[in-house]
Amino acid sequence: VLQYDDVMNLQRTVIYRQRRQVLEGQNIRESVLESIDKALLLRINEHAGESVAADVWDIEHLATALLEVCPHLPLYFVPVEMRYGPSSPLLDEQHRRRIMQLYTEGLAAPKRFDELTELIITRVHEAYDGHEAEQGEENMRLLERLVTLRIIDEKWISHLDAMDFLREGIGLRSYAQVDPLVAYKSEAFDLWNQLMSEIQEQIAINIFRVRLMVEEAEHQKSAYKPTATNRSDEGPSKGERVANAGVGRNDPCPCGSGLKYKKCCGIKAGV
């Protein structure tokens, strides 16, 4: 049992160290860019492998797959003036088609795998710099920490469930003449690698899609609330209003109390 726990404790130590680095406010920009690069390389290898000739690269599907990581990537394959939209709303669709055309043509230009990889990573890093310029450097560092921490927590919880499920059924491996502890360590290692890959993948996918909404502090002007210092500030009292209506001192008070006016509202009015 202790050996099973040692495996889980080791993983917990590593993940908590990562969380602590984020919580302590360390600069994790390079770590985020590393996650982005790995996500890009997965897609490049899938649609334009290093051992595959350039003339059979699936550029169309590669272009679509890269948008999963960086939705604004096509804007960094066109002249700067085209990034701000057409001069007429009527040209919106035509403008978008032109951007996508230039984007696809740009991806098809390299003839070697290393050139294609360098081109894509360079353009995505430019897009990341643009994202940071839009958010502001300080806000971007905060955004990186928030996204990373949320994804680590979500994936870690799912990983704990997977590890519990693995441990519950690992004893059955003995029926197949397999040491349960050896099988547990091996499969726990596979689950750990899967966890790390999923964390990096989700960071890469989410970081370009999240904006930090900063609410500007509203400076409310203090409303002037005059303090009543005399009866004229407060307006006429009920008794004064009744007196002004011509009620006699010995008449029943119009307020309905059953007392004479001079014993009720007349006192307040000074009658």
Side-chain angles (χ1 to χ4, degrees):
V1 173
L2 290 176
Q3 288 179 309
Y4 284 121
D5 289 341
D6 287 344
V7 174
M8 196 65 242
N9 289 336
L10 178 60
Q11 294 186 359
R12 185 178 290 107
T13 299
V14 175
I15 206 76
Y16 281 11
R17 183 170 62 245
Q18 293 180 356
R19 292 187 78 257
R20 187 163 55 250
Q21 291 173 351
V22 177
L23 291 171
E24 289 174 351
Q26 295 188 20
N27 190 328
I28 58 172
R29 184 181 193 272
E30 293 304 317
S31 175
V32 171
L33 287 175
E34 182 182 348
S35 297
I36 293 173
D37 292 349
K38 287 186 176 180
L40 295 173
L41 286 173
L42 284 175
R43 288 158 174 79
I44 296 172
N45 284 317
E46 181 180 357
H47 301 288
E50 187 173 5
S51 60
V52 179
D55 56 352
V56 293
W57 286 347
D58 191 351
I59 296 298
E60 183 178 349
H61 285 92
L62 174 61
T64 302
L66 294 176
L67 297 180
E68 296 173 355
V69 178
C70 183
H72 300 126
L73 182 57
L75 296 178
Y76 292 85
F77 279 79
V78 301
V80 176
E81 58 271 15
M82 289 188 65
R83 299 178 188 175
Y84 302 99
S87 57
S88 170
L90 298 176
L91 302 177
D92 278 349
E93 185 61 32
Q94 180 180 352
H95 186 73
R96 283 194 292 268
R97 285 199 301 267
R98 179 58 178 162
I99 289 177
M100 293 305 296
Q101 179 186 354
L102 293 175
Y103 167 52
T104 305
E105 291 175 355
L107 290 176
K111 299 306 178 185
R112 297 206 317 265
F113 181 81
D114 57 341
E115 292 179 349
L116 176 66
T117 302
E118 182 180 359
L119 172 66
I120 293 172
I121 291 179
T122 300
R123 293 291 187 268
V124 172
H125 283 202
E126 289 177 3
Y128 195 81
D129 291 339
H131 187 29
E132 181 172 322
E134 176 188 343
Q135 293 294 305
E137 183 177 353
E138 183 177 351
N139 288 338
M140 194 63 192
R141 300 290 83 80
L142 174 59
L143 187 64
E144 290 166 349
R145 293 195 296 272
L146 292 175
V147 170
T148 300
L149 187 62
R150 178 177 63 82
I151 292 173
I152 288 177
D153 289 346
E154 288 179 356
K155 294 301 179 181
W156 176 244
I157 292 173
S158 299
H159 178 73
L160 290 177
D161 292 338
M163 290 293 290
D164 287 341
F165 182 77
L166 172 63
R167 185 166 177 173
E168 288 176 2
I170 201 67
L172 299 176
R173 306 300 173 86
S174 60
Y175 292 106
Q177 305 300 315
V178 176
D179 186 344
L181 181 59
V182 174
Y184 179 78
K185 289 182 177 180
S186 175
E187 296 191 28
F189 181 72
D190 291 340
L191 288 174
W192 174 258
N193 287 335
Q194 180 181 343
L195 170 65
M196 293 295 100
S197 297
E198 289 179 354
I199 288 176
Q200 291 181 323
E201 174 78 5
Q202 288 303 310
I203 289 174
I205 290 176
N206 282 276
I207 196 66
F208 280 104
R209 290 172 167 79
V210 178
R211 297 289 186 274
L212 190 64
M213 305 301 294
V214 181
E215 295 184 1
E216 297 182 0
E218 296 182 359
H219 302 285
Q220 298 180 349
K221 296 181 179 180
S222 56
Y224 173 67
K225 297 180 179 179
T227 302
T229 56
N230 52 50
R231 299 187 66 83
S232 62
D233 291 331
E234 299 176 349
S237 67
K238 179 194 270 188
E240 290 172 331
R241 291 196 299 271
V242 174
N244 292 334
V247 181
R249 296 180 70 252
N250 294 316
D251 292 338
C253 187
C255 73
S257 64
L259 300 175
K260 291 184 178 181
Y261 174 61
K262 64 181 180 181
K263 298 290 186 180
C264 187
C265 291
I267 297 177
K268 302 176 183 178
V271 179

